[in-house]
Amino acid sequence: MSFRKITTVAGLALGSLVSAHSNAHHAFGAEFDANAPLTLRGDVTRIEWVNPHAWFHIEVAKEDGSKEAWRIEGGTPNTLLRRGINKRSIAIGTEIVVDGYWAKDRTNSANGRNITLANGKKMFMGSSGTGAPEDGADTGR
Amino acid sequence: MKICKLALASLLLGTLVGCSPSEQTTQQLEHAESDVFKLSGDVKHIMQWVLDPAAFGVWKSAGSIITAAGTRELAPTTDEGWLAVEHSAAVVAASGNLLMMPGRAVDEEGWKNIAQGLVDAGLVAQKAAKNQDSDALFDAGGQIYRVCKACHSVYVRGENAGDLL
């Protein structure tokens, strides 16, 4: 398992572009940075299946061997259910890759867009219309 | 005393009988707007001090926390706990009415429809709490959030709740 946090210049540039399309909604914009896309890989340790947003906690292994706990905000449980994700869809201990956006305060918190499972299956875990960047993650869903 | 009350009632009746129903309504509204309501805070205050804490009182009382140790349900386990949720839900419903008060309502259509939706969602949550129905409470929490999202998507002008209107 590896740790990858993509905040490269290219990523920031892309983030700058997509942020131009951001809608105004405090839920995303107040907490998360549309200019800081990231990718996290880790094992699921905790799922908070709650309103108004579900949270997925993962443990990310860093390159030096240490581990970091991250919390990933998902969409509302109702939204996730419509996407085919329920509270039992991802078992504790499952390795997932999350694409999302880093918290503005740079804590280990992110807004998740896509989850990719070990078998390559990708699921949209966010919400549309919350002010998150229109990055195509929810296209056609 | 009885005579005084009768005289007052006759006077009020006499004032109203000459009006059409719509005129009466208009007069009543004007009276209400000018004399009855006294705003004690703006929309931001209602959001931050009344609605948000009440909504979170509902949200934190329904759902599941899943870890390697098992699943913990968040629903109350005591009558007192359910009563507290019922209280929060009632405040959510009342908040919808507070948002419709003259001086807070932004427009006649969208704002009031959404605020009425908040009243409805709060009442659904209140009923669920009264029935100690955790599934219904969870669904009602989702309904409350959908109203929040609908309102913020139209009436929040910036990235923060502080930018509201």
Side-chain angles (χ1 to χ4, degrees), chain A residues 24-27 29-30 45-53 76-78 87-88 92 104 127-130, chain B residues 56 59 62-68 71 73-74 138 141-142 145-146 149 152-153 156-161:
Chain A
H25 186 273
H26 78 279
T45 60
R46 175 185 172 98
I47 296 172
E48 297 176 25
W49 194 254
V50 296
N51 281 304
H53 295 279
T76 69
N78 280 336
K87 64 183 178 182
R88 303 289 177 199
I92 300 299
K104 282 183 171 177
S127 291
S128 300
T130 60
Chain B
F56 275 97
W59 289 330
S64 309
I65 305 296
I66 305 165
T67 66
T71 299
E73 299 300 336
L74 298 177
F138 188 72
Y145 179 69
R146 285 194 293 278
K149 187 177 166 185
H152 286 207
S153 67
V156 175
R157 306 297 187 214
E159 292 189 334
N160 300 301

mmCIF file of all heavy atoms in Angstrom, chain A residues 24-27 29-30 45-53 76-78 87-88 92 104 127-130, chain B residues 56 59 62-68 71 73-74 138 141-142 145-146 149 152-153 156-161:
data_model
loop_
_atom_site.group_PDB
_atom_site.id
_atom_site.type_symbol
_atom_site.label_atom_id
_atom_site.label_comp_id
_atom_site.label_asym_id
_atom_site.label_seq_id
_atom_site.Cartn_x
_atom_site.Cartn_y
_atom_site.Cartn_z
ATOM 1 N N ALA A 24 -21.820 28.565 -5.428
ATOM 2 C CA ALA A 24 -21.728 29.030 -4.054
ATOM 3 C C ALA A 24 -22.555 28.142 -3.135
ATOM 4 O O ALA A 24 -23.766 28.067 -3.265
ATOM 5 C CB ALA A 24 -22.223 30.470 -3.973
ATOM 6 N N HIS A 25 -21.897 27.440 -2.300
ATOM 7 C CA HIS A 25 -22.594 26.665 -1.280
ATOM 8 C C HIS A 25 -21.623 26.454 -0.144
ATOM 9 O O HIS A 25 -20.527 25.972 -0.345
ATOM 10 C CB HIS A 25 -23.067 25.318 -1.838
ATOM 11 C CG HIS A 25 -23.912 24.576 -0.863
ATOM 12 N ND1 HIS A 25 -23.370 23.757 0.078
ATOM 13 C CD2 HIS A 25 -25.244 24.557 -0.667
ATOM 14 C CE1 HIS A 25 -24.345 23.238 0.818
ATOM 15 N NE2 HIS A 25 -25.488 23.721 0.381
ATOM 16 N N HIS A 26 -22.031 26.791 1.046
ATOM 17 C CA HIS A 26 -21.066 26.828 2.136
ATOM 18 C C HIS A 26 -20.533 25.455 2.466
ATOM 19 O O HIS A 26 -19.448 25.314 2.976
ATOM 20 C CB HIS A 26 -21.686 27.473 3.365
ATOM 21 C CG HIS A 26 -22.588 26.575 4.129
ATOM 22 N ND1 HIS A 26 -23.881 26.361 3.762
ATOM 23 C CD2 HIS A 26 -22.356 25.812 5.214
ATOM 24 C CE1 HIS A 26 -24.436 25.528 4.606
ATOM 25 N NE2 HIS A 26 -23.533 25.167 5.493
ATOM 26 N N ALA A 27 -21.301 24.409 2.187
ATOM 27 C CA ALA A 27 -20.888 23.084 2.622
ATOM 28 C C ALA A 27 -19.537 22.700 2.045
ATOM 29 O O ALA A 27 -18.707 22.146 2.750
ATOM 30 C CB ALA A 27 -21.941 22.054 2.227
ATOM 31 N N GLY A 29 -17.404 24.974 -0.081
ATOM 32 C CA GLY A 29 -16.475 26.098 -0.164
ATOM 33 C C GLY A 29 -15.937 26.569 1.171
ATOM 34 O O GLY A 29 -14.827 27.090 1.256
ATOM 35 N N ALA A 30 -16.714 26.397 2.219
ATOM 36 C CA ALA A 30 -16.261 26.863 3.525
ATOM 37 C C ALA A 30 -15.223 25.928 4.123
ATOM 38 O O ALA A 30 -14.421 26.344 4.950
ATOM 39 C CB ALA A 30 -17.444 26.994 4.473
ATOM 40 N N THR A 45 -11.294 2.406 8.075
ATOM 41 C CA THR A 45 -11.298 2.070 9.509
ATOM 42 C C THR A 45 -12.629 2.390 10.185
ATOM 43 O O THR A 45 -12.936 1.833 11.245
ATOM 44 C CB THR A 45 -10.194 2.854 10.247
ATOM 45 O OG1 THR A 45 -10.443 4.262 10.076
ATOM 46 C CG2 THR A 45 -8.820 2.502 9.715
ATOM 47 N N ARG A 46 -13.388 3.302 9.582
ATOM 48 C CA ARG A 46 -14.623 3.745 10.241
ATOM 49 C C ARG A 46 -15.539 4.377 9.208
ATOM 50 O O ARG A 46 -15.071 5.124 8.337
ATOM 51 C CB ARG A 46 -14.247 4.770 11.325
ATOM 52 C CG ARG A 46 -15.403 5.442 12.057
ATOM 53 C CD ARG A 46 -14.795 6.513 12.993
ATOM 54 N NE ARG A 46 -15.800 7.354 13.618
ATOM 55 C CZ ARG A 46 -16.263 7.173 14.852
ATOM 56 N NH1 ARG A 46 -15.808 6.195 15.594
ATOM 57 N NH2 ARG A 46 -17.171 7.985 15.349
ATOM 58 N N ILE A 47 -16.795 4.057 9.290
ATOM 59 C CA ILE A 47 -17.795 4.690 8.416
ATOM 60 C C ILE A 47 -18.853 5.332 9.295
ATOM 61 O O ILE A 47 -19.435 4.664 10.160
ATOM 62 C CB ILE A 47 -18.443 3.662 7.467
ATOM 63 C CG1 ILE A 47 -17.388 3.093 6.508
ATOM 64 C CG2 ILE A 47 -19.589 4.301 6.688
ATOM 65 C CD1 ILE A 47 -17.888 1.932 5.672
ATOM 66 N N GLU A 48 -19.052 6.615 9.090
ATOM 67 C CA GLU A 48 -20.128 7.318 9.805
ATOM 68 C C GLU A 48 -21.279 7.497 8.818
ATOM 69 O O GLU A 48 -21.213 8.327 7.913
ATOM 70 C CB GLU A 48 -19.630 8.670 10.320
ATOM 71 C CG GLU A 48 -18.505 8.557 11.330
ATOM 72 C CD GLU A 48 -17.954 9.911 11.747
ATOM 73 O OE1 GLU A 48 -18.682 10.916 11.655
ATOM 74 O OE2 GLU A 48 -16.786 9.960 12.149
ATOM 75 N N TRP A 49 -22.288 6.688 8.982
ATOM 76 C CA TRP A 49 -23.447 6.724 8.082
ATOM 77 C C TRP A 49 -24.483 7.654 8.711
ATOM 78 O O TRP A 49 -25.408 7.224 9.394
ATOM 79 C CB TRP A 49 -23.994 5.313 7.890
ATOM 80 C CG TRP A 49 -24.963 5.183 6.753
ATOM 81 C CD1 TRP A 49 -26.314 5.033 6.854
ATOM 82 C CD2 TRP A 49 -24.669 5.179 5.350
ATOM 83 N NE1 TRP A 49 -26.873 4.953 5.601
ATOM 84 C CE2 TRP A 49 -25.882 5.032 4.661
ATOM 85 C CE3 TRP A 49 -23.481 5.306 4.609
ATOM 86 C CZ2 TRP A 49 -25.952 5.003 3.273
ATOM 87 C CZ3 TRP A 49 -23.554 5.279 3.217
ATOM 88 C CH2 TRP A 49 -24.782 5.118 2.572
ATOM 89 N N VAL A 50 -24.267 8.946 8.505
ATOM 90 C CA VAL A 50 -25.068 9.957 9.197
ATOM 91 C C VAL A 50 -25.447 11.077 8.232
ATOM 92 O O VAL A 50 -24.784 11.277 7.209
ATOM 93 C CB VAL A 50 -24.297 10.573 10.386
ATOM 94 C CG1 VAL A 50 -24.010 9.514 11.444
ATOM 95 C CG2 VAL A 50 -22.985 11.211 9.921
ATOM 96 N N ASN A 51 -26.484 11.790 8.576
ATOM 97 C CA ASN A 51 -26.828 13.024 7.890
ATOM 98 C C ASN A 51 -26.081 14.176 8.565
ATOM 99 O O ASN A 51 -25.785 14.095 9.746
ATOM 100 C CB ASN A 51 -28.341 13.276 7.996
ATOM 101 C CG ASN A 51 -29.127 12.435 7.015
ATOM 102 O OD1 ASN A 51 -28.890 12.483 5.830
ATOM 103 N ND2 ASN A 51 -30.046 11.629 7.545
ATOM 104 N N PRO A 52 -25.764 15.262 7.906
ATOM 105 C CA PRO A 52 -26.100 15.486 6.496
ATOM 106 C C PRO A 52 -25.103 14.874 5.522
ATOM 107 O O PRO A 52 -25.380 14.867 4.325
ATOM 108 C CB PRO A 52 -26.095 17.003 6.401
ATOM 109 C CG PRO A 52 -25.103 17.452 7.412
ATOM 110 C CD PRO A 52 -25.219 16.473 8.548
ATOM 111 N N HIS A 53 -23.938 14.398 6.002
ATOM 112 C CA HIS A 53 -22.966 13.774 5.108
ATOM 113 C C HIS A 53 -22.405 12.517 5.747
ATOM 114 O O HIS A 53 -22.123 12.509 6.944
ATOM 115 C CB HIS A 53 -21.795 14.726 4.814
ATOM 116 C CG HIS A 53 -22.182 15.946 4.059
ATOM 117 N ND1 HIS A 53 -22.360 15.959 2.687
ATOM 118 C CD2 HIS A 53 -22.461 17.198 4.469
ATOM 119 C CE1 HIS A 53 -22.712 17.167 2.301
ATOM 120 N NE2 HIS A 53 -22.794 17.945 3.366
ATOM 121 N N THR A 76 -24.722 12.802 0.985
ATOM 122 C CA THR A 76 -25.703 12.399 1.989
ATOM 123 C C THR A 76 -25.959 10.898 1.849
ATOM 124 O O THR A 76 -25.796 10.333 0.761
ATOM 125 C CB THR A 76 -27.038 13.127 1.784
ATOM 126 O OG1 THR A 76 -27.635 12.639 0.581
ATOM 127 C CG2 THR A 76 -26.849 14.628 1.681
ATOM 128 N N PRO A 77 -26.353 10.245 2.916
ATOM 129 C CA PRO A 77 -26.677 8.817 2.787
ATOM 130 C C PRO A 77 -27.695 8.546 1.679
ATOM 131 O O PRO A 77 -27.550 7.585 0.915
ATOM 132 C CB PRO A 77 -27.239 8.469 4.171
ATOM 133 C CG PRO A 77 -26.510 9.396 5.093
ATOM 134 C CD PRO A 77 -26.398 10.683 4.319
ATOM 135 N N ASN A 78 -28.690 9.414 1.543
ATOM 136 C CA ASN A 78 -29.686 9.211 0.496
ATOM 137 C C ASN A 78 -29.057 9.273 -0.894
ATOM 138 O O ASN A 78 -29.380 8.490 -1.778
ATOM 139 C CB ASN A 78 -30.796 10.274 0.597
ATOM 140 C CG ASN A 78 -31.809 9.926 1.660
ATOM 141 O OD1 ASN A 78 -31.973 8.759 2.007
ATOM 142 N ND2 ASN A 78 -32.484 10.927 2.197
ATOM 143 N N LYS A 87 -24.400 1.440 3.632
ATOM 144 C CA LYS A 87 -23.430 1.453 4.729
ATOM 145 C C LYS A 87 -22.641 0.150 4.831
ATOM 146 O O LYS A 87 -21.667 0.077 5.578
ATOM 147 C CB LYS A 87 -24.128 1.773 6.055
ATOM 148 C CG LYS A 87 -25.150 0.768 6.520
ATOM 149 C CD LYS A 87 -25.799 1.256 7.809
ATOM 150 C CE LYS A 87 -26.878 0.292 8.279
ATOM 151 N NZ LYS A 87 -27.551 0.779 9.512
ATOM 152 N N ARG A 88 -23.070 -0.859 4.084
ATOM 153 C CA ARG A 88 -22.348 -2.144 4.085
ATOM 154 C C ARG A 88 -21.570 -2.372 2.793
ATOM 155 O O ARG A 88 -20.971 -3.435 2.621
ATOM 156 C CB ARG A 88 -23.344 -3.294 4.269
ATOM 157 C CG ARG A 88 -24.187 -3.215 5.527
ATOM 158 C CD ARG A 88 -23.370 -3.483 6.754
ATOM 159 N NE ARG A 88 -24.163 -3.343 7.971
ATOM 160 C CZ ARG A 88 -23.640 -3.158 9.182
ATOM 161 N NH1 ARG A 88 -22.325 -3.094 9.331
ATOM 162 N NH2 ARG A 88 -24.418 -3.032 10.234
ATOM 163 N N ILE A 92 -15.119 -2.690 6.548
ATOM 164 C CA ILE A 92 -13.992 -2.169 7.311
ATOM 165 C C ILE A 92 -12.746 -2.991 6.947
ATOM 166 O O ILE A 92 -12.790 -4.220 6.881
ATOM 167 C CB ILE A 92 -14.273 -2.265 8.830
ATOM 168 C CG1 ILE A 92 -15.526 -1.447 9.193
ATOM 169 C CG2 ILE A 92 -13.053 -1.796 9.628
ATOM 170 C CD1 ILE A 92 -15.429 0.026 8.881
ATOM 171 N N LYS A 104 -9.447 23.134 3.622
ATOM 172 C CA LYS A 104 -8.761 24.424 3.599
ATOM 173 C C LYS A 104 -7.815 24.596 4.773
ATOM 174 O O LYS A 104 -6.797 25.265 4.669
ATOM 175 C CB LYS A 104 -9.800 25.553 3.622
ATOM 176 C CG LYS A 104 -10.458 25.814 2.277
ATOM 177 C CD LYS A 104 -11.409 26.994 2.365
ATOM 178 C CE LYS A 104 -11.892 27.383 0.972
ATOM 179 N NZ LYS A 104 -12.889 28.486 1.032
ATOM 180 N N SER A 127 -21.606 14.631 -3.699
ATOM 181 C CA SER A 127 -22.934 15.146 -3.988
ATOM 182 C C SER A 127 -22.824 16.156 -5.119
ATOM 183 O O SER A 127 -21.817 16.846 -5.241
ATOM 184 C CB SER A 127 -23.541 15.849 -2.769
ATOM 185 O OG SER A 127 -23.832 14.929 -1.759
ATOM 186 N N SER A 128 -23.855 16.222 -5.916
ATOM 187 C CA SER A 128 -23.900 17.254 -6.948
ATOM 188 C C SER A 128 -24.599 18.487 -6.395
ATOM 189 O O SER A 128 -25.468 18.381 -5.531
ATOM 190 C CB SER A 128 -24.671 16.747 -8.172
ATOM 191 O OG SER A 128 -24.054 15.605 -8.707
ATOM 192 N N GLY A 129 -24.210 19.637 -6.885
ATOM 193 C CA GLY A 129 -24.902 20.859 -6.511
ATOM 194 C C GLY A 129 -24.572 21.373 -5.136
ATOM 195 O O GLY A 129 -25.316 22.149 -4.556
ATOM 196 N N THR A 130 -23.428 20.961 -4.592
ATOM 197 C CA THR A 130 -23.041 21.443 -3.265
ATOM 198 C C THR A 130 -21.987 22.520 -3.351
ATOM 199 O O THR A 130 -21.525 23.015 -2.336
ATOM 200 C CB THR A 130 -22.474 20.296 -2.422
ATOM 201 O OG1 THR A 130 -21.327 19.765 -3.088
ATOM 202 C CG2 THR A 130 -23.498 19.207 -2.214
ATOM 203 N N PHE B 56 -28.799 19.759 13.881
ATOM 204 C CA PHE B 56 -27.766 18.804 14.296
ATOM 205 C C PHE B 56 -28.261 17.934 15.450
ATOM 206 O O PHE B 56 -27.805 16.802 15.603
ATOM 207 C CB PHE B 56 -26.472 19.532 14.657
ATOM 208 C CG PHE B 56 -25.614 19.799 13.447
ATOM 209 C CD1 PHE B 56 -25.658 21.024 12.813
ATOM 210 C CD2 PHE B 56 -24.805 18.804 12.920
ATOM 211 C CE1 PHE B 56 -24.891 21.275 11.675
ATOM 212 C CE2 PHE B 56 -24.042 19.040 11.792
ATOM 213 C CZ PHE B 56 -24.090 20.274 11.161
ATOM 214 N N TRP B 59 -29.832 15.268 13.405
ATOM 215 C CA TRP B 59 -28.877 14.476 12.617
ATOM 216 C C TRP B 59 -28.009 13.568 13.480
ATOM 217 O O TRP B 59 -27.706 12.442 13.095
ATOM 218 C CB TRP B 59 -27.990 15.419 11.787
ATOM 219 C CG TRP B 59 -28.732 16.079 10.666
ATOM 220 C CD1 TRP B 59 -29.802 15.576 9.979
ATOM 221 C CD2 TRP B 59 -28.478 17.375 10.094
ATOM 222 N NE1 TRP B 59 -30.214 16.477 9.017
ATOM 223 C CE2 TRP B 59 -29.428 17.574 9.063
ATOM 224 C CE3 TRP B 59 -27.537 18.374 10.342
ATOM 225 C CZ2 TRP B 59 -29.448 18.741 8.288
ATOM 226 C CZ3 TRP B 59 -27.557 19.525 9.578
ATOM 227 C CH2 TRP B 59 -28.504 19.709 8.567
ATOM 228 N N ALA B 62 -29.468 9.924 14.663
ATOM 229 C CA ALA B 62 -29.916 8.870 13.729
ATOM 230 C C ALA B 62 -28.754 8.488 12.829
ATOM 231 O O ALA B 62 -28.005 9.350 12.390
ATOM 232 C CB ALA B 62 -31.091 9.368 12.897
ATOM 233 N N GLY B 63 -28.620 7.209 12.580
ATOM 234 C CA GLY B 63 -27.543 6.740 11.730
ATOM 235 C C GLY B 63 -26.716 5.681 12.417
ATOM 236 O O GLY B 63 -27.094 5.161 13.476
ATOM 237 N N SER B 64 -25.575 5.371 11.794
ATOM 238 C CA SER B 64 -24.744 4.275 12.305
ATOM 239 C C SER B 64 -23.272 4.653 12.240
ATOM 240 O O SER B 64 -22.850 5.360 11.320
ATOM 241 C CB SER B 64 -24.939 3.020 11.450
ATOM 242 O OG SER B 64 -26.302 2.707 11.288
ATOM 243 N N ILE B 65 -22.535 4.180 13.214
ATOM 244 C CA ILE B 65 -21.078 4.284 13.195
ATOM 245 C C ILE B 65 -20.543 2.863 13.092
ATOM 246 O O ILE B 65 -20.795 2.033 13.962
ATOM 247 C CB ILE B 65 -20.530 4.953 14.473
ATOM 248 C CG1 ILE B 65 -21.182 6.313 14.707
ATOM 249 C CG2 ILE B 65 -19.008 5.071 14.388
ATOM 250 C CD1 ILE B 65 -20.894 7.350 13.662
ATOM 251 N N ILE B 66 -19.803 2.604 12.022
ATOM 252 C CA ILE B 66 -19.312 1.250 11.761
ATOM 253 C C ILE B 66 -17.792 1.220 11.895
ATOM 254 O O ILE B 66 -17.090 2.009 11.251
ATOM 255 C CB ILE B 66 -19.721 0.793 10.345
ATOM 256 C CG1 ILE B 66 -21.242 0.908 10.177
ATOM 257 C CG2 ILE B 66 -19.256 -0.633 10.085
ATOM 258 C CD1 ILE B 66 -21.710 0.838 8.742
ATOM 259 N N THR B 67 -17.305 0.342 12.741
ATOM 260 C CA THR B 67 -15.863 0.148 12.916
ATOM 261 C C THR B 67 -15.588 -1.349 12.986
ATOM 262 O O THR B 67 -16.522 -2.167 12.899
ATOM 263 C CB THR B 67 -15.364 0.816 14.217
ATOM 264 O OG1 THR B 67 -15.953 0.121 15.333
ATOM 265 C CG2 THR B 67 -15.736 2.279 14.286
ATOM 266 N N ALA B 68 -14.307 -1.683 13.175
ATOM 267 C CA ALA B 68 -13.948 -3.103 13.296
ATOM 268 C C ALA B 68 -14.604 -3.724 14.525
ATOM 269 O O ALA B 68 -14.802 -4.945 14.584
ATOM 270 C CB ALA B 68 -12.429 -3.236 13.377
ATOM 271 N N THR B 71 -21.079 -2.260 14.871
ATOM 272 C CA THR B 71 -21.916 -1.130 14.457
ATOM 273 C C THR B 71 -22.614 -0.541 15.669
ATOM 274 O O THR B 71 -23.227 -1.269 16.457
ATOM 275 C CB THR B 71 -22.971 -1.576 13.435
ATOM 276 O OG1 THR B 71 -22.305 -2.098 12.282
ATOM 277 C CG2 THR B 71 -23.853 -0.414 13.005
ATOM 278 N N GLU B 73 -25.481 2.094 16.710
ATOM 279 C CA GLU B 73 -26.594 2.925 16.238
ATOM 280 C C GLU B 73 -26.678 4.191 17.090
ATOM 281 O O GLU B 73 -26.460 4.140 18.312
ATOM 282 C CB GLU B 73 -27.905 2.152 16.315
ATOM 283 C CG GLU B 73 -27.932 0.896 15.453
ATOM 284 C CD GLU B 73 -27.734 1.174 13.968
ATOM 285 O OE1 GLU B 73 -28.024 2.306 13.535
ATOM 286 O OE2 GLU B 73 -27.269 0.271 13.250
ATOM 287 N N LEU B 74 -26.974 5.296 16.437
ATOM 288 C CA LEU B 74 -26.969 6.584 17.128
ATOM 289 C C LEU B 74 -28.319 6.955 17.743
ATOM 290 O O LEU B 74 -28.419 7.933 18.472
ATOM 291 C CB LEU B 74 -26.536 7.690 16.156
ATOM 292 C CG LEU B 74 -25.119 7.547 15.588
ATOM 293 C CD1 LEU B 74 -24.846 8.655 14.577
ATOM 294 C CD2 LEU B 74 -24.085 7.579 16.702
ATOM 295 N N PHE B 138 -34.093 8.969 10.641
ATOM 296 C CA PHE B 138 -32.967 9.076 9.707
ATOM 297 C C PHE B 138 -33.441 9.655 8.376
ATOM 298 O O PHE B 138 -32.814 10.563 7.820
ATOM 299 C CB PHE B 138 -32.354 7.698 9.497
ATOM 300 C CG PHE B 138 -31.072 7.720 8.719
ATOM 301 C CD1 PHE B 138 -29.901 8.203 9.281
ATOM 302 C CD2 PHE B 138 -31.035 7.258 7.416
ATOM 303 C CE1 PHE B 138 -28.719 8.219 8.562
ATOM 304 C CE2 PHE B 138 -29.859 7.273 6.690
ATOM 305 C CZ PHE B 138 -28.697 7.751 7.266
ATOM 306 N N GLY B 141 -34.151 13.246 8.705
ATOM 307 C CA GLY B 141 -32.904 14.023 8.704
ATOM 308 C C GLY B 141 -32.457 14.327 7.285
ATOM 309 O O GLY B 141 -31.998 15.435 6.990
ATOM 310 N N GLY B 142 -32.607 13.345 6.400
ATOM 311 C CA GLY B 142 -32.285 13.576 4.998
ATOM 312 C C GLY B 142 -33.197 14.609 4.374
ATOM 313 O O GLY B 142 -32.775 15.450 3.574
ATOM 314 N N TYR B 145 -32.112 18.045 5.374
ATOM 315 C CA TYR B 145 -30.929 18.487 4.634
ATOM 316 C C TYR B 145 -31.287 18.899 3.211
ATOM 317 O O TYR B 145 -30.733 19.864 2.679
ATOM 318 C CB TYR B 145 -29.846 17.415 4.614
ATOM 319 C CG TYR B 145 -28.635 17.867 3.835
ATOM 320 C CD1 TYR B 145 -27.815 18.888 4.328
ATOM 321 C CD2 TYR B 145 -28.334 17.327 2.586
ATOM 322 C CE1 TYR B 145 -26.725 19.335 3.608
ATOM 323 C CE2 TYR B 145 -27.241 17.772 1.865
ATOM 324 C CZ TYR B 145 -26.441 18.774 2.378
ATOM 325 O OH TYR B 145 -25.360 19.225 1.660
ATOM 326 N N ARG B 146 -32.211 18.177 2.591
ATOM 327 C CA ARG B 146 -32.595 18.551 1.221
ATOM 328 C C ARG B 146 -33.190 19.951 1.193
ATOM 329 O O ARG B 146 -32.966 20.712 0.253
ATOM 330 C CB ARG B 146 -33.587 17.526 0.651
ATOM 331 C CG ARG B 146 -32.922 16.209 0.250
ATOM 332 C CD ARG B 146 -33.840 15.358 -0.621
ATOM 333 N NE ARG B 146 -35.018 14.882 0.108
ATOM 334 C CZ ARG B 146 -35.024 13.809 0.899
ATOM 335 N NH1 ARG B 146 -33.919 13.126 1.085
ATOM 336 N NH2 ARG B 146 -36.125 13.435 1.517
ATOM 337 N N LYS B 149 -30.285 22.386 1.516
ATOM 338 C CA LYS B 149 -29.540 22.478 0.253
ATOM 339 C C LYS B 149 -30.313 23.288 -0.787
ATOM 340 O O LYS B 149 -29.733 24.110 -1.502
ATOM 341 C CB LYS B 149 -29.263 21.068 -0.260
ATOM 342 C CG LYS B 149 -28.368 21.002 -1.470
ATOM 343 C CD LYS B 149 -28.104 19.547 -1.833
ATOM 344 C CE LYS B 149 -27.493 19.447 -3.222
ATOM 345 N NZ LYS B 149 -27.338 18.037 -3.632
ATOM 346 N N HIS B 152 -30.010 26.976 0.269
ATOM 347 C CA HIS B 152 -28.664 27.537 0.098
ATOM 348 C C HIS B 152 -28.294 27.668 -1.374
ATOM 349 O O HIS B 152 -27.561 28.578 -1.745
ATOM 350 C CB HIS B 152 -27.645 26.656 0.820
ATOM 351 C CG HIS B 152 -27.706 26.800 2.302
ATOM 352 N ND1 HIS B 152 -26.622 26.573 3.122
ATOM 353 C CD2 HIS B 152 -28.713 27.151 3.121
ATOM 354 C CE1 HIS B 152 -26.970 26.770 4.385
ATOM 355 N NE2 HIS B 152 -28.239 27.116 4.409
ATOM 356 N N SER B 153 -28.806 26.765 -2.201
ATOM 357 C CA SER B 153 -28.451 26.829 -3.614
ATOM 358 C C SER B 153 -29.032 28.067 -4.287
ATOM 359 O O SER B 153 -28.539 28.502 -5.318
ATOM 360 C CB SER B 153 -28.937 25.572 -4.341
ATOM 361 O OG SER B 153 -30.351 25.539 -4.378
ATOM 362 N N VAL B 156 -27.913 31.621 -0.785
ATOM 363 C CA VAL B 156 -26.586 31.917 -0.225
ATOM 364 C C VAL B 156 -25.744 32.500 -1.334
ATOM 365 O O VAL B 156 -25.618 31.913 -2.401
ATOM 366 C CB VAL B 156 -25.934 30.643 0.364
ATOM 367 C CG1 VAL B 156 -24.510 30.961 0.826
ATOM 368 C CG2 VAL B 156 -26.749 30.148 1.533
ATOM 369 N N ARG B 157 -25.180 33.667 -1.071
ATOM 370 C CA ARG B 157 -24.487 34.404 -2.132
ATOM 371 C C ARG B 157 -22.981 34.195 -2.158
ATOM 372 O O ARG B 157 -22.292 34.775 -2.948
ATOM 373 C CB ARG B 157 -24.761 35.913 -1.978
ATOM 374 C CG ARG B 157 -26.229 36.252 -1.920
ATOM 375 C CD ARG B 157 -26.930 35.886 -3.216
ATOM 376 N NE ARG B 157 -28.307 36.363 -3.206
ATOM 377 C CZ ARG B 157 -29.302 35.731 -3.786
ATOM 378 N NH1 ARG B 157 -29.088 34.581 -4.400
ATOM 379 N NH2 ARG B 157 -30.525 36.221 -3.747
ATOM 380 N N GLY B 158 -22.449 33.469 -1.234
ATOM 381 C CA GLY B 158 -21.005 33.256 -1.208
ATOM 382 C C GLY B 158 -20.682 31.851 -0.783
ATOM 383 O O GLY B 158 -21.538 30.968 -0.827
ATOM 384 N N GLU B 159 -19.469 31.648 -0.343
ATOM 385 C CA GLU B 159 -19.045 30.301 0.009
ATOM 386 C C GLU B 159 -19.373 29.942 1.450
ATOM 387 O O GLU B 159 -19.307 28.782 1.831
ATOM 388 C CB GLU B 159 -17.534 30.152 -0.209
ATOM 389 C CG GLU B 159 -17.143 30.199 -1.673
ATOM 390 C CD GLU B 159 -15.691 29.843 -1.863
ATOM 391 O OE1 GLU B 159 -14.907 30.042 -0.910
ATOM 392 O OE2 GLU B 159 -15.332 29.390 -2.946
ATOM 393 N N ASN B 160 -19.683 30.922 2.259
ATOM 394 C CA ASN B 160 -19.918 30.649 3.663
ATOM 395 C C ASN B 160 -21.351 30.935 4.060
ATOM 396 O O ASN B 160 -22.032 31.750 3.440
ATOM 397 C CB ASN B 160 -18.996 31.532 4.527
ATOM 398 C CG ASN B 160 -17.546 31.255 4.219
ATOM 399 O OD1 ASN B 160 -17.080 30.135 4.353
ATOM 400 N ND2 ASN B 160 -16.854 32.289 3.771
ATOM 401 N N ALA B 161 -21.775 30.262 5.143
ATOM 402 C CA ALA B 161 -23.108 30.539 5.655
ATOM 403 C C ALA B 161 -23.210 32.012 6.037
ATOM 404 O O ALA B 161 -24.276 32.607 5.974
ATOM 405 C CB ALA B 161 -23.397 29.659 6.863
#
